[in-house]
Amino acid sequence: PLHGSHQAVNAAVAIEAVGAFLPHGSLEEEVINEGLGRTMVPGRLETVPSADGPPLVLDVAHNPEGMSALITSLVEAFAFDSITFVVGILGDKDHQGMFTELSRVPCYIIATEPKTVRAVPVGELEADARAMGLEGEAVDDVAHALKVARDRTSENGLVCVTGSHYVVGEARSALLGPVP
């Protein structure tokens, strides 16, 4: 259920680590398959079911390296004409480096601002994206930005919420309800 080749590497490392603590040969393939089949990592290339409209992915990439892995994984796992990114980023992060990674695919940026004083103001985020040649708009509220993204994205597109744990958390709550 995990997308991205880096997740396969992470799973292999986890299996090896567990195997190192168990008697040789006691970790059965069936147990591994069952465990990996049930694995869920909220906010890490998490696909949110949608009855209608384009696929929607949540990923907490919050630095250029994370964005690079996100873009590579989206290209590997999904077919799309373009991606509408809902992006909110914290002020201590390299948002220009993150936008450089997003520009690797045809995209539209909806800059937003999660509810934290640490967030880059939405207007500044939009201006920086435009200065880097990315098309987009600013929408103050994460839940509203999500609606705008879904409304403007075609069936052949993809919506991806990213940029910080805060923005993904707000989007996830708006889509799936509060965490129990």
Side-chain angles (χ1 to χ4, degrees), residues 28-29 43 77 111 153:
E28 297 176 11
E29 186 175 334
T153 304

Side-chain angles (χ1 to χ4, degrees), residues 87-147:
V87 182
I89 301 174
L90 302 186
D92 63 339
K93 303 300 179 183
D94 176 8
H95 55 276
Q96 292 170 335
M98 294 164 73
F99 284 141
T100 296
E101 292 300 326
L102 296 181
S103 71
R104 292 173 35 205
V105 293
C107 67
Y108 185 85
I109 305 295
I110 298 179
T112 193
E113 191 172 333
K115 293 175 179 84
T116 174
V117 296
R118 295 177 52 209
V120 174
V122 67
E124 181 182 330
L125 204 57
E126 177 196 22
D128 286 349
R130 285 191 186 276
M132 296 184 71
L134 295 168
E135 187 180 346
E137 64 188 279
V139 178
D140 291 339
D141 178 72
V142 172
H144 187 234
L146 191 55
K147 181 183 179 337

Side-chain angles (χ1 to χ4, degrees), residues 1 3 40-59 74 78 146 150 157-161 167-177:
H3 298 291
M40 185 178 142
V41 185
R44 294 283 185 182
L45 285 163
E46 179 182 9
T47 304
V48 178
S50 175
D52 59 341
L56 193 142
V57 176
L58 305 174
D59 192 88
L74 291 174
F78 298 93
L146 191 55
R150 293 177 98 177
L158 178 69
V159 174
C160 180
V161 180
V167 74
V168 168
E170 287 183 34
R172 194 169 195 281
S173 290
L175 293 163
L176 304 172

Side-chain angles (χ1 to χ4, degrees), residues 21-72:
F21 289 100
L22 298 175
H24 181 70
S26 64
L27 187 58
E28 297 176 11
E29 186 175 334
E30 182 179 306
V31 171
I32 293 170
N33 290 338
E34 183 180 336
L36 290 177
R38 288 193 207 174
T39 300
M40 185 178 142
V41 185
R44 294 283 185 182
L45 285 163
E46 179 182 9
T47 304
V48 178
S50 175
D52 59 341
L56 193 142
V57 176
L58 305 174
D59 192 88
V60 296
H62 59 275
N63 57 43
E65 295 77 17
M67 285 293 181
S68 179
L70 169 62
I71 296 302
T72 298

